[in-house]
Amino acid sequence: MSNTPLRKGGPAARIAVLPGDGIGREVTPESIKVLRAAVKRPMDFVDLDWGADKFLREGVSLPPGAVEMLRDEFDAILFGALGDPRVPSNQHAADILLGLRFKLDLYVNARPVELLHDRLTPLSGRTERDIRIMVFRENTEGLYVGVGGIFKKGTPDEIALQEDLNTRKGVERIIRHAFAYARQHRLKRLCMSDKSNAMTFAHDLWQRVFKEVRQEYTDVDSRHLYIDTLAMEIVRDPSQFDVIVTCNLFGDIISDLGAQLGGGLGLAPSGNIHPGATSLFEPVHGSAPNIAGKGIANPLGSVLTSGMMLDFLGWPQEAALLKEAVRAALRENKVTPDLGGNLKTTEVGDWLAQYVSKNS
Ligand code: ATP
């Protein structure tokens, strides 16, 4: 991840806060609470009300000029979640989240898989030391670009096409980012994963770029695994991986698998990053309509996400403090019911804020 300090608005870091829908609106304020307690440096938070309510009220998802405003006036976006049963098409979520990913060219999807307490992994016998992997998913290309079509829809002769778009530039920059991250963090083992034995055009490009770039990083021990082999190996022995880099679709799947190894959706953070430019940080979980409004959403994923944002802003000490606070909450069972605790969302936030105040 880039440590380049940005600062669009002078000395203060400018953060656009986009809680969105459902539990996004419950966990994001807890993150702000913890950030305010942990970070003594100047930070400006600006709330944005984009989400289902606005979409239903005004028909607006991503307002005109939004992308330019975020790009020019903000260092980072702290995102909650989007998705609401009143918008079955999920149109507003696609407009906002995919719109920002593509228009801000957030080509790095960083999804750390980290076990922060031994009791949380479903793998027996595994400990914190075994599960610490940074997964880099290509975030702007592949099968998610929406190129394709349907012919003869609804007939027995229907044809559906979905194109897998891979550019030399796109593949190279994500592979390069993964190697640079491994070197910067002194992580020895990098795995590039594809399906080049079956996807003989698209992933042949991944193979060729990987072989080229790895020659510049002989200090990193790099290897290749087909995605199906990776899926088996990551469950059999997660301790063999430090950094994984893969395409959009495989990254989506393997990082969710990883999220479960690290304790489940409520704990998993992510960053949508363009190094050196406005980037967006979001917990991996969605809006969870089934528990929204009950005050029991787990805010730890959002707090860890805020930690990733601090790292991105060039404040690793404060980032480490947030992670330490989450570890402490897990140790002392100051957690929500999904993790076996009995605290409310706001009580977890209060506990974390107190912890970081005492320890900062
Ligand atoms: P969306 O469609 O917005 O992705 P979803 O409910 O389909 O929402 P998630 O929100 O990702 O999917 O989560 C699936 C389930 O996991 C939720 O219904 C909820 O029970 C649980 N869950 C997810 N995040 C949390 C959290 N932060 N705290 C507690 N439970 C959670």
Side-chain angles (χ1 to χ4, degrees), residues 25-223:
R25 297 159 72 121
E26 298 169 47
V27 297
T28 311
E30 301 312 310
S31 274
I32 304 293
K33 195 191 279 177
V34 180
L35 282 167
R36 285 194 193 282
V39 181
K40 304 289 177 245
R41 309 169 196 258
M43 288 181 103
D44 292 339
F45 297 101
V46 177
D47 285 325
L48 302 172
D49 66 348
W50 309 343
D53 282 348
K54 188 179 180 75
F55 183 68
L56 290 167
R57 209 174 47 236
E58 301 166 26
V60 173
S61 50
L62 195 59
V67 175
E68 293 74 13
M69 175 193 73
L70 290 168
R71 193 186 57 211
D72 299 339
E73 297 174 26
F74 289 92
D75 300 301
I77 304 155
L78 183 61
F79 192 90
L82 285 170
D84 188 302
R86 295 170 300 164
V87 188
S89 67
N90 229 14
Q91 184 60 46
H92 70 301
D95 288 352
I96 297 172
L97 191 52
L98 295 183
L100 292 179
R101 274 189 194 162
F102 285 107
K103 290 178 185 154
L104 291 172
D105 198 24
L106 305 175
Y107 66 89
V108 178
N109 191 195
R111 292 196 173 188
V113 170
E114 193 171 0
L115 180 62
L116 297 177
H117 194 289
D118 291 354
R119 76 176 159 88
L120 295 173
T121 186
L123 298 183
S124 70
R126 292 290 171 193
T127 65
E128 287 177 42
R129 268 188 314 173
D130 297 323
I131 304 177
R132 190 176 304 156
I133 310 167
M134 177 57 94
V135 179
F136 288 117
R137 160 189 175 191
E138 201 294 320
N139 210 25
T140 51
E141 301 194 342
L143 273 161
Y144 289 46
V145 292
V147 175
I150 295 179
F151 184 50
K152 299 187 180 175
K153 189 170 184 175
T155 75
D157 297 325
E158 179 164 349
I159 298 168
L161 288 175
Q162 194 90 39
E163 296 294 336
D164 183 17
L165 189 142
N166 295 260
T167 68
R168 165 82 208 195
K169 173 182 152 189
V171 174
E172 184 174 337
R173 65 185 182 175
I174 189 68
I175 290 180
R176 220 170 249 296
H177 184 84
F179 272 106
Y181 180 92
R183 176 178 282 170
Q184 190 189 347
H185 294 81
R186 298 181 202 285
L187 298 170
K188 281 279 161 237
R189 298 160 309 168
L190 180 147
C191 174
M192 190 282 275
S193 188
D194 64 20
K195 189 68 184 163
S196 46
N197 51 348
M199 298 172 68
T200 51
F201 306 116
H203 288 184
D204 180 64
L205 177 61
W206 279 75
Q207 281 288 323
R208 281 182 283 119
V209 173
F210 174 60
K211 283 178 186 147
E212 237 178 81
V213 175
R214 75 192 296 195
Q215 287 173 13
E216 296 170 34
Y217 291 88
T218 46
D219 51 322
V220 177
D221 178 11
S222 59
R223 67 169 164 159

Side-chain angles (χ1 to χ4, degrees), residues 37-38 40 321 332 350-360:
K40 304 289 177 245
L321 178 60
E332 301 195 18
D350 290 343
W351 192 88
L352 293 170
Q354 246 186 14
Y355 182 95
V356 296
S357 293
K358 268 192 261 158
N359 292 281
S360 60

Side-chain angles (χ1 to χ4, degrees), residues 23 27 81-83 90 265-266 284-291 296-299 336 338:
I23 64 167
V27 297
L82 285 170
N90 229 14
L265 270 182
V284 170
H285 66 74
S287 60
N290 59 327
I291 57 163
I296 55 166
N298 179 355
T336 42
D338 59 304

Side-chain angles (χ1 to χ4, degrees), residues 271-337:
N272 297 266
I273 297 165
H274 188 123
T278 310
S279 296
L280 183 152
F281 296 83
E282 55 168 334
V284 170
H285 66 74
S287 60
N290 59 327
I291 57 163
K294 296 184 177 161
I296 55 166
N298 179 355
L300 298 183
S302 177
V303 172
L304 291 170
T305 296
S306 306
M308 289 183 76
M309 183 180 76
L310 294 180
D311 245 333
F312 171 79
L313 291 169
W315 298 338
Q317 272 183 340
E318 288 87 342
L321 178 60
L322 260 56
K323 195 186 282 184
E324 180 43 43
V326 170
R327 272 186 205 281
L330 294 169
R331 223 170 27 234
E332 301 195 18
N333 211 28
K334 301 293 180 193
V335 293
T336 42

